[in-house]
Amino acid sequence: MISVIILGSGNVAKHMYTALGAQKSIEVVQCYNRKGILLNPEQDSKIITQDLNDLVKVDVYILAVSDDAIEEISSKLPFNDCLVVHTSGSVPLKTIKNNNRRGVFYPLQTFSKDKVVDFSKIPFCLEAEEEKDLVLLNKLASSLSEKIYQISSEQRNILHISAVFVNNFTNYLFSVGNDICEEHKVPFEILHPLIQETAKKITNINPDQAQTGPAIRNDITTIDRHLHILNNTQQKELYQTLTKAIQSKHGKKL
Amino acid sequence: MISVIILGSGNVAKHMYTALGAQKSIEVVQCYNRKGILLNPEQDSKIITQDLNDLVKVDVYILAVSDDAIEEISSKLPFNDCLVVHTSGSVPLKTIKNNNRRGVFYPLQTFSKDKVVDFSKIPFCLEAEEEKDLVLLNKLASSLSEKIYQISSEQRNILHISAVFVNNFTNYLFSVGNDICEEHKVPFEILHPLIQETAKKITNINPDQAQTGPAIRNDITTIDRHLHILNNTQQKELYQTLTKAIQSKHGKKL
């Protein structure tokens, strides 16, 4: 049995509470957050505390708080030599105060408030200073997911940058596609299956091999027609920038 | 029973042959392509022709050829007043020569050579000049898919531009993410589930609501750290362009 305390009340804290709480091999002993919020409507309110001094001794303290709060909360913990981990993609392990044993327990996924999360497919990126802590985090992560990676703070940074491209920027392109459809009263849902397939394709083949479209074909007629139809300057510039980027990448290779 | 001839030998022609050939209500009577290629290893070679003059009379002639070839092949067809449709996202209906009845039978999806296609989830965008032809195309599409839309050539153009953003450009962002990971020897596969979830999310909520990340949070510390780590000029510029675009879009709304 691994005993755990979850600190924080955001999406990650909530989803992690629900997932860990469902495991027989894990006991979520307490939850801390400043406002005393329940992480789940069915949670026993007695295990919620708003006072860090109330925290009891457990195997792992999970700081599922915002990036900015990790340093401060870790420095206020009223105990030493316990395993304290954060769940952030971009904060270095060393941001946690060094009076405790430090680690990272980072589920690489985008969490929505009201959507049930299937942790079994979520990659966990683990880091710890001591071998025994890594073993424990591995055990904890294994109870939730099949995909566990030992990742250094530097590697995690790289994953985070890459995630900005494949998640945040990609979502922005979806929003541009949506805007174009809305402006011309075409249902954006017609593109949903294409979007799913685009995402699925790169799990089987390298994205460079999966590249299609007017840019890589250097189909100037189509590119010009598209630029002519786009009347929003920002959309037009983005179309040109990305078309050039694709051509410069694949041109070099040819 | 709807009788069909498929012209072309690319991915769309092949997948369409396999899908239509499996329907009891449809008979693929002949296939035409210049090289006399089989569209499927199990196809009877007798139904393949390399000569347009051999084509028999059927209900629908499907021009599943490249965009550039639609005009030429349609003008060489040795018959009049038959229903001739193309399968392109960007070519206007009127590109087909007007001695025949014209239409569009456009499956909006990205087709890979060796990947079996489940047509049932693929949106079909239909267009025809005559009502009876639209009815027939509707019947043909319904045998393959649940999702059928009547879309004008102008609307199809809009969908095509939007598809460039959500498919071609998105795939390019995946390739950038892959490059960043490869350069730093981090397995890109760790990001696969995030990519799937990003694509799935916008089928439930508007992409504007789904926007997350350092750009929309105006998290300057993280943005600066990312720009500092990116040493490829093109990646850096793209990061800046898309960050600004997200901020300008959402800044205006706040």
Side-chain angles (χ1 to χ4, degrees):
Chain A
M1 179 74 85
I2 304 175
S3 58
V4 169
I5 288 176
I6 296 172
L7 300 96
S9 59
N11 287 335
V12 176
K14 283 175 181 161
H15 288 300
M16 214 171 256
Y17 169 75
T18 304
L20 290 174
Q23 306 306 316
K24 279 187 185 162
S25 59
I26 294 162
E27 189 189 0
V28 183
V29 177
Q30 271 181 319
C31 291
Y32 161 87
N33 63 74
R34 270 183 305 182
K35 293 179 187 167
I37 293 168
L38 292 185
L39 298 191
N40 185 311
E42 290 162 30
Q43 190 175 23
D44 178 359
S45 64
K46 276 181 244 157
I47 75 161
I48 305 281
T49 174
Q50 295 173 259
D51 187 351
L52 290 171
N53 291 307
D54 281 349
L55 297 183
V56 298
K57 193 105 180 184
V58 291
D59 296 321
V60 199
Y61 298 82
I62 302 177
L63 298 175
V65 297
S66 69
D67 289 3
D68 297 338
I70 292 171
E71 186 165 10
E72 192 195 334
I73 297 188
S74 77
S75 71
K76 285 185 180 164
L77 294 173
F79 45 74
N80 296 307
D81 198 35
C82 291
L83 177 57
V84 177
V85 301
H86 74 61
T87 59
S88 162
S90 58
V91 173
L93 173 141
K94 291 188 190 304
T95 302
I96 298 169
K97 208 189 160 195
N98 66 359
N99 59 321
N100 280 299
R101 289 163 9 235
R102 304 178 288 190
V104 178
F105 190 71
Y106 169 46
L108 203 167
Q109 188 52 281
T110 169
F111 295 98
S112 308
K113 201 176 149 198
D114 300 317
K115 213 174 151 212
V116 178
V117 174
D118 173 12
F119 270 88
S120 68
K121 305 285 177 221
I122 296 180
F124 270 82
C125 301
L126 308 181
E127 188 181 3
E129 291 176 302
E130 294 187 25
E131 185 57 31
K132 65 168 182 182
D133 293 334
L134 202 59
V135 170
L136 188 92
L137 293 180
N138 232 304
K139 223 169 134 185
L140 193 63
S142 309
S143 72
L144 298 179
S145 173
E146 301 150 10
K147 296 179 174 183
I148 294 160
Y149 298 87
Q150 194 181 331
I151 294 287
S152 70
S153 289
E154 291 72 31
Q155 286 177 312
R156 202 153 29 81
N157 235 323
I158 293 301
L159 279 170
H160 194 238
I161 296 175
S162 194
V164 168
F165 280 91
V166 303
N167 168 316
N168 304 152
F169 292 165
T170 287
N171 183 76
Y172 175 71
L173 293 183
F174 296 160
S175 85
V176 173
N178 185 39
D179 291 346
I180 295 168
C181 284
E182 272 191 359
E183 191 191 331
H184 295 88
K185 309 219 183 319
V186 181
F188 182 59
E189 60 166 46
I190 304 183
L191 293 163
H192 285 176
L194 177 67
I195 289 172
Q196 305 313 309
E197 185 60 23
T198 306
K200 220 167 124 188
K201 215 171 179 178
I202 54 98
T203 62
N204 294 313
I205 59 170
N206 184 296
D208 284 332
Q209 288 171 272
Q211 191 64 55
T212 56
I216 197 172
R217 286 199 312 273
N218 197 26
D219 177 351
I220 295 163
T221 316
T222 301
I223 293 169
D224 285 348
R225 194 181 58 243
H226 286 176
L227 287 171
H228 185 75
I229 294 171
L230 287 171
N231 48 31
N232 174 312
T233 316
Q234 201 158 31
Q235 288 169 359
K236 210 187 271 264
E237 280 176 11
L238 192 57
Y239 189 104
Q240 284 169 318
T241 303
L242 286 162
T243 295
K244 272 185 207 157
I246 291 171
Q247 293 189 329
S248 119
K249 185 174 202 189
H250 290 271
K252 277 179 201 155
K253 280 190 187 160
L254 292 174
Chain B
M1 178 76 83
I2 304 174
S3 58
V4 168
I5 288 178
I6 296 172
L7 299 95
S9 59
N11 287 336
V12 175
K14 284 175 180 161
H15 288 300
M16 214 171 255
Y17 169 75
T18 305
L20 290 174
Q23 305 306 315
K24 280 187 185 161
S25 59
I26 295 162
E27 189 189 1
V28 183
V29 177
Q30 269 181 319
C31 291
Y32 161 87
N33 63 75
R34 271 183 306 182
K35 294 180 184 163
I37 292 167
L38 293 184
L39 298 190
N40 184 310
E42 290 161 31
Q43 190 174 23
D44 178 359
S45 64
K46 276 179 244 157
I47 76 161
I48 304 282
T49 174
Q50 295 173 260
D51 187 350
L52 291 172
N53 291 307
D54 282 348
L55 297 183
V56 298
K57 192 106 179 181
V58 291
D59 298 320
V60 199
Y61 299 81
I62 301 176
L63 297 175
V65 298
S66 69
D67 289 2
D68 297 340
I70 291 170
E71 185 164 12
E72 193 196 334
I73 297 188
S74 77
S75 70
K76 286 184 180 164
L77 295 174
F79 45 75
N80 296 306
D81 199 35
C82 292
L83 177 57
V84 177
V85 301
H86 73 61
T87 60
S88 162
S90 58
V91 173
L93 172 140
K94 291 188 189 305
T95 302
I96 298 169
K97 210 191 159 194
N98 65 359
N99 58 322
N100 280 300
R101 288 165 8 238
R102 304 177 288 191
V104 178
F105 190 71
Y106 169 45
L108 202 168
Q109 188 52 283
T110 170
F111 294 99
S112 308
K113 203 176 148 199
D114 301 317
K115 216 176 150 211
V116 178
V117 174
D118 173 11
F119 270 89
S120 69
K121 304 284 178 223
I122 296 180
F124 271 81
C125 300
L126 308 182
E127 188 180 3
E129 291 175 302
E130 294 188 23
E131 185 56 31
K132 65 168 182 183
D133 293 335
L134 202 59
V135 169
L136 188 92
L137 293 179
N138 232 304
K139 223 169 134 185
L140 194 63
S142 308
S143 72
L144 299 179
S145 172
E146 302 150 10
K147 294 178 176 183
I148 295 160
Y149 299 87
Q150 193 180 332
I151 294 288
S152 70
S153 289
E154 291 70 31
Q155 287 178 311
R156 203 156 24 84
N157 235 322
I158 293 301
L159 278 171
H160 194 238
I161 296 176
S162 194
V164 169
F165 280 91
V166 303
N167 168 318
N168 305 151
F169 292 165
T170 287
N171 184 75
Y172 175 71
L173 293 182
F174 296 161
S175 84
V176 173
N178 186 38
D179 291 346
I180 295 168
C181 285
E182 271 191 359
E183 192 192 330
H184 295 88
K185 309 218 181 322
V186 180
F188 182 59
E189 59 166 47
I190 304 182
L191 291 163
H192 285 178
L194 177 67
I195 289 171
Q196 304 315 308
E197 184 62 22
T198 306
K200 221 168 123 190
K201 215 170 178 177
I202 54 95
T203 62
N204 294 313
I205 59 170
N206 184 297
D208 284 331
Q209 288 172 273
Q211 192 63 55
T212 56
I216 197 173
R217 287 199 310 272
N218 197 25
D219 176 352
I220 295 163
T221 317
T222 301
I223 293 168
D224 285 348
R225 194 182 58 241
H226 287 177
L227 288 171
H228 184 74
I229 294 171
L230 287 170
N231 47 34
N232 175 311
T233 316
Q234 203 159 30
Q235 288 169 0
K236 210 187 271 265
E237 280 174 11
L238 192 57
Y239 188 103
Q240 284 169 317
T241 304
L242 287 161
T243 295
K244 271 184 209 157
I246 290 170
Q247 294 189 328
S248 118
K249 184 173 201 189
H250 290 272
K252 277 178 202 155
K253 280 190 187 160
L254 293 174

PDB file of all heavy atoms in Angstrom, chain A residues 157-177:
ATOM      1  N   ASN A 157      11.716  19.463 -20.369  1.00  0.00           N
ATOM      2  CA  ASN A 157      11.637  20.770 -21.010  1.00  0.00           C
ATOM      3  C   ASN A 157      11.451  20.638 -22.520  1.00  0.00           C
ATOM      4  O   ASN A 157      10.645  21.352 -23.131  1.00  0.00           O
ATOM      5  CB  ASN A 157      12.944  21.517 -20.756  1.00  0.00           C
ATOM      6  CG  ASN A 157      12.682  22.847 -20.122  1.00  0.00           C
ATOM      7  OD1 ASN A 157      11.708  23.512 -20.457  1.00  0.00           O
ATOM      8  ND2 ASN A 157      13.543  23.234 -19.208  1.00  0.00           N
ATOM      9  N   ILE A 158      12.203  19.736 -23.113  1.00  0.00           N
ATOM     10  CA  ILE A 158      12.107  19.488 -24.554  1.00  0.00           C
ATOM     11  C   ILE A 158      10.711  18.971 -24.909  1.00  0.00           C
ATOM     12  O   ILE A 158      10.084  19.424 -25.872  1.00  0.00           O
ATOM     13  CB  ILE A 158      13.194  18.464 -24.982  1.00  0.00           C
ATOM     14  CG1 ILE A 158      14.591  19.065 -24.814  1.00  0.00           C
ATOM     15  CG2 ILE A 158      12.962  17.962 -26.406  1.00  0.00           C
ATOM     16  CD1 ILE A 158      14.838  20.329 -25.608  1.00  0.00           C
ATOM     17  N   LEU A 159      10.225  18.022 -24.102  1.00  0.00           N
ATOM     18  CA  LEU A 159       8.871  17.497 -24.329  1.00  0.00           C
ATOM     19  C   LEU A 159       7.840  18.622 -24.231  1.00  0.00           C
ATOM     20  O   LEU A 159       6.872  18.660 -24.993  1.00  0.00           O
ATOM     21  CB  LEU A 159       8.528  16.418 -23.303  1.00  0.00           C
ATOM     22  CG  LEU A 159       9.063  15.027 -23.586  1.00  0.00           C
ATOM     23  CD1 LEU A 159       8.846  14.135 -22.372  1.00  0.00           C
ATOM     24  CD2 LEU A 159       8.373  14.417 -24.812  1.00  0.00           C
ATOM     25  N   HIS A 160       8.069  19.514 -23.297  1.00  0.00           N
ATOM     26  CA  HIS A 160       7.114  20.602 -23.089  1.00  0.00           C
ATOM     27  C   HIS A 160       7.088  21.550 -24.289  1.00  0.00           C
ATOM     28  O   HIS A 160       6.019  21.958 -24.747  1.00  0.00           O
ATOM     29  CB  HIS A 160       7.459  21.364 -21.800  1.00  0.00           C
ATOM     30  CG  HIS A 160       6.366  22.255 -21.335  1.00  0.00           C
ATOM     31  ND1 HIS A 160       6.522  23.601 -21.166  1.00  0.00           N
ATOM     32  CD2 HIS A 160       5.072  21.991 -21.023  1.00  0.00           C
ATOM     33  CE1 HIS A 160       5.380  24.130 -20.755  1.00  0.00           C
ATOM     34  NE2 HIS A 160       4.481  23.177 -20.653  1.00  0.00           N
ATOM     35  N   ILE A 161       8.265  21.872 -24.822  1.00  0.00           N
ATOM     36  CA  ILE A 161       8.330  22.729 -26.019  1.00  0.00           C
ATOM     37  C   ILE A 161       7.638  22.034 -27.187  1.00  0.00           C
ATOM     38  O   ILE A 161       6.836  22.614 -27.906  1.00  0.00           O
ATOM     39  CB  ILE A 161       9.796  23.033 -26.407  1.00  0.00           C
ATOM     40  CG1 ILE A 161      10.460  23.847 -25.303  1.00  0.00           C
ATOM     41  CG2 ILE A 161       9.862  23.775 -27.738  1.00  0.00           C
ATOM     42  CD1 ILE A 161      11.930  24.088 -25.534  1.00  0.00           C
ATOM     43  N   SER A 162       7.971  20.774 -27.344  1.00  0.00           N
ATOM     44  CA  SER A 162       7.369  19.989 -28.422  1.00  0.00           C
ATOM     45  C   SER A 162       5.846  19.928 -28.258  1.00  0.00           C
ATOM     46  O   SER A 162       5.100  20.022 -29.241  1.00  0.00           O
ATOM     47  CB  SER A 162       7.993  18.594 -28.389  1.00  0.00           C
ATOM     48  OG  SER A 162       7.709  17.916 -29.562  1.00  0.00           O
ATOM     49  N   ALA A 163       5.414  19.818 -27.017  1.00  0.00           N
ATOM     50  CA  ALA A 163       3.969  19.771 -26.742  1.00  0.00           C
ATOM     51  C   ALA A 163       3.290  21.086 -27.107  1.00  0.00           C
ATOM     52  O   ALA A 163       2.137  21.091 -27.543  1.00  0.00           O
ATOM     53  CB  ALA A 163       3.718  19.441 -25.266  1.00  0.00           C
ATOM     54  N   VAL A 164       4.002  22.199 -26.945  1.00  0.00           N
ATOM     55  CA  VAL A 164       3.438  23.488 -27.348  1.00  0.00           C
ATOM     56  C   VAL A 164       3.134  23.461 -28.849  1.00  0.00           C
ATOM     57  O   VAL A 164       2.071  23.886 -29.293  1.00  0.00           O
ATOM     58  CB  VAL A 164       4.388  24.653 -26.988  1.00  0.00           C
ATOM     59  CG1 VAL A 164       3.942  25.953 -27.652  1.00  0.00           C
ATOM     60  CG2 VAL A 164       4.448  24.841 -25.473  1.00  0.00           C
ATOM     61  N   PHE A 165       4.055  22.902 -29.629  1.00  0.00           N
ATOM     62  CA  PHE A 165       3.838  22.801 -31.077  1.00  0.00           C
ATOM     63  C   PHE A 165       2.686  21.841 -31.406  1.00  0.00           C
ATOM     64  O   PHE A 165       1.780  22.204 -32.150  1.00  0.00           O
ATOM     65  CB  PHE A 165       5.115  22.336 -31.791  1.00  0.00           C
ATOM     66  CG  PHE A 165       6.115  23.438 -32.013  1.00  0.00           C
ATOM     67  CD1 PHE A 165       7.108  23.706 -31.085  1.00  0.00           C
ATOM     68  CD2 PHE A 165       6.055  24.230 -33.154  1.00  0.00           C
ATOM     69  CE1 PHE A 165       8.026  24.736 -31.281  1.00  0.00           C
ATOM     70  CE2 PHE A 165       6.959  25.265 -33.366  1.00  0.00           C
ATOM     71  CZ  PHE A 165       7.955  25.521 -32.429  1.00  0.00           C
ATOM     72  N   VAL A 166       2.719  20.636 -30.850  1.00  0.00           N
ATOM     73  CA  VAL A 166       1.750  19.617 -31.289  1.00  0.00           C
ATOM     74  C   VAL A 166       0.388  19.745 -30.609  1.00  0.00           C
ATOM     75  O   VAL A 166      -0.589  19.164 -31.080  1.00  0.00           O
ATOM     76  CB  VAL A 166       2.298  18.172 -31.110  1.00  0.00           C
ATOM     77  CG1 VAL A 166       3.614  18.001 -31.858  1.00  0.00           C
ATOM     78  CG2 VAL A 166       2.441  17.768 -29.654  1.00  0.00           C
ATOM     79  N   ASN A 167       0.330  20.499 -29.524  1.00  0.00           N
ATOM     80  CA  ASN A 167      -0.956  20.658 -28.843  1.00  0.00           C
ATOM     81  C   ASN A 167      -1.457  22.108 -28.935  1.00  0.00           C
ATOM     82  O   ASN A 167      -2.431  22.389 -29.620  1.00  0.00           O
ATOM     83  CB  ASN A 167      -0.802  20.195 -27.379  1.00  0.00           C
ATOM     84  CG  ASN A 167      -1.968  20.565 -26.468  1.00  0.00           C
ATOM     85  OD1 ASN A 167      -2.492  21.674 -26.489  1.00  0.00           O
ATOM     86  ND2 ASN A 167      -2.388  19.638 -25.650  1.00  0.00           N
ATOM     87  N   ASN A 168      -0.762  23.055 -28.333  1.00  0.00           N
ATOM     88  CA  ASN A 168      -1.260  24.443 -28.284  1.00  0.00           C
ATOM     89  C   ASN A 168      -1.348  25.049 -29.687  1.00  0.00           C
ATOM     90  O   ASN A 168      -2.364  25.632 -30.062  1.00  0.00           O
ATOM     91  CB  ASN A 168      -0.358  25.323 -27.429  1.00  0.00           C
ATOM     92  CG  ASN A 168      -0.151  24.815 -26.017  1.00  0.00           C
ATOM     93  OD1 ASN A 168       0.874  25.080 -25.403  1.00  0.00           O
ATOM     94  ND2 ASN A 168      -1.095  24.068 -25.486  1.00  0.00           N
ATOM     95  N   PHE A 169      -0.267  24.927 -30.453  1.00  0.00           N
ATOM     96  CA  PHE A 169      -0.252  25.549 -31.789  1.00  0.00           C
ATOM     97  C   PHE A 169      -1.190  24.806 -32.746  1.00  0.00           C
ATOM     98  O   PHE A 169      -1.873  25.417 -33.562  1.00  0.00           O
ATOM     99  CB  PHE A 169       1.173  25.595 -32.350  1.00  0.00           C
ATOM    100  CG  PHE A 169       2.101  26.538 -31.614  1.00  0.00           C
ATOM    101  CD1 PHE A 169       3.484  26.469 -31.792  1.00  0.00           C
ATOM    102  CD2 PHE A 169       1.599  27.508 -30.739  1.00  0.00           C
ATOM    103  CE1 PHE A 169       4.344  27.338 -31.118  1.00  0.00           C
ATOM    104  CE2 PHE A 169       2.449  28.380 -30.059  1.00  0.00           C
ATOM    105  CZ  PHE A 169       3.836  28.290 -30.249  1.00  0.00           C
ATOM    106  N   THR A 170      -1.212  23.495 -32.622  1.00  0.00           N
ATOM    107  CA  THR A 170      -2.136  22.695 -33.426  1.00  0.00           C
ATOM    108  C   THR A 170      -3.581  23.109 -33.148  1.00  0.00           C
ATOM    109  O   THR A 170      -4.370  23.309 -34.070  1.00  0.00           O
ATOM    110  CB  THR A 170      -1.930  21.200 -33.112  1.00  0.00           C
ATOM    111  OG1 THR A 170      -0.698  20.799 -33.704  1.00  0.00           O
ATOM    112  CG2 THR A 170      -3.041  20.339 -33.640  1.00  0.00           C
ATOM    113  N   ASN A 171      -3.903  23.248 -31.879  1.00  0.00           N
ATOM    114  CA  ASN A 171      -5.264  23.670 -31.530  1.00  0.00           C
ATOM    115  C   ASN A 171      -5.573  25.037 -32.114  1.00  0.00           C
ATOM    116  O   ASN A 171      -6.702  25.293 -32.560  1.00  0.00           O
ATOM    117  CB  ASN A 171      -5.447  23.690 -30.013  1.00  0.00           C
ATOM    118  CG  ASN A 171      -6.866  24.060 -29.631  1.00  0.00           C
ATOM    119  OD1 ASN A 171      -7.783  23.249 -29.727  1.00  0.00           O
ATOM    120  ND2 ASN A 171      -7.067  25.321 -29.240  1.00  0.00           N
ATOM    121  N   TYR A 172      -4.566  25.900 -32.158  1.00  0.00           N
ATOM    122  CA  TYR A 172      -4.781  27.221 -32.769  1.00  0.00           C
ATOM    123  C   TYR A 172      -5.124  27.066 -34.257  1.00  0.00           C
ATOM    124  O   TYR A 172      -6.016  27.746 -34.774  1.00  0.00           O
ATOM    125  CB  TYR A 172      -3.554  28.118 -32.577  1.00  0.00           C
ATOM    126  CG  TYR A 172      -3.709  29.436 -33.295  1.00  0.00           C
ATOM    127  CD1 TYR A 172      -4.612  30.390 -32.839  1.00  0.00           C
ATOM    128  CD2 TYR A 172      -2.996  29.705 -34.459  1.00  0.00           C
ATOM    129  CE1 TYR A 172      -4.800  31.574 -33.517  1.00  0.00           C
ATOM    130  CE2 TYR A 172      -3.173  30.898 -35.147  1.00  0.00           C
ATOM    131  CZ  TYR A 172      -4.081  31.828 -34.667  1.00  0.00           C
ATOM    132  OH  TYR A 172      -4.271  32.996 -35.350  1.00  0.00           O
ATOM    133  N   LEU A 173      -4.421  26.164 -34.944  1.00  0.00           N
ATOM    134  CA  LEU A 173      -4.743  25.920 -36.368  1.00  0.00           C
ATOM    135  C   LEU A 173      -6.172  25.398 -36.519  1.00  0.00           C
ATOM    136  O   LEU A 173      -6.876  25.751 -37.469  1.00  0.00           O
ATOM    137  CB  LEU A 173      -3.750  24.936 -36.984  1.00  0.00           C
ATOM    138  CG  LEU A 173      -2.302  25.417 -37.128  1.00  0.00           C
ATOM    139  CD1 LEU A 173      -1.458  24.345 -37.814  1.00  0.00           C
ATOM    140  CD2 LEU A 173      -2.227  26.715 -37.928  1.00  0.00           C
ATOM    141  N   PHE A 174      -6.593  24.548 -35.568  1.00  0.00           N
ATOM    142  CA  PHE A 174      -7.990  24.084 -35.601  1.00  0.00           C
ATOM    143  C   PHE A 174      -8.924  25.298 -35.486  1.00  0.00           C
ATOM    144  O   PHE A 174      -9.951  25.371 -36.161  1.00  0.00           O
ATOM    145  CB  PHE A 174      -8.288  23.107 -34.452  1.00  0.00           C
ATOM    146  CG  PHE A 174      -7.511  21.816 -34.515  1.00  0.00           C
ATOM    147  CD1 PHE A 174      -7.352  21.019 -33.384  1.00  0.00           C
ATOM    148  CD2 PHE A 174      -6.934  21.372 -35.701  1.00  0.00           C
ATOM    149  CE1 PHE A 174      -6.655  19.824 -33.431  1.00  0.00           C
ATOM    150  CE2 PHE A 174      -6.226  20.178 -35.756  1.00  0.00           C
ATOM    151  CZ  PHE A 174      -6.090  19.403 -34.611  1.00  0.00           C
ATOM    152  N   SER A 175      -8.566  26.237 -34.627  1.00  0.00           N
ATOM    153  CA  SER A 175      -9.432  27.410 -34.430  1.00  0.00           C
ATOM    154  C   SER A 175      -9.475  28.276 -35.691  1.00  0.00           C
ATOM    155  O   SER A 175     -10.513  28.852 -36.012  1.00  0.00           O
ATOM    156  CB  SER A 175      -8.986  28.221 -33.204  1.00  0.00           C
ATOM    157  OG  SER A 175      -7.948  29.129 -33.526  1.00  0.00           O
ATOM    158  N   VAL A 176      -8.355  28.344 -36.403  1.00  0.00           N
ATOM    159  CA  VAL A 176      -8.346  29.099 -37.666  1.00  0.00           C
ATOM    160  C   VAL A 176      -9.263  28.397 -38.682  1.00  0.00           C
ATOM    161  O   VAL A 176     -10.086  29.036 -39.342  1.00  0.00           O
ATOM    162  CB  VAL A 176      -6.920  29.245 -38.240  1.00  0.00           C
ATOM    163  CG1 VAL A 176      -6.945  29.884 -39.623  1.00  0.00           C
ATOM    164  CG2 VAL A 176      -6.043  30.068 -37.296  1.00  0.00           C
ATOM    165  N   GLY A 177      -9.143  27.079 -38.778  1.00  0.00           N
ATOM    166  CA  GLY A 177     -10.005  26.303 -39.675  1.00  0.00           C
ATOM    167  C   GLY A 177     -11.479  26.521 -39.338  1.00  0.00           C
ATOM    168  O   GLY A 177     -12.323  26.714 -40.217  1.00  0.00           O
TER     169      GLY A 177
END
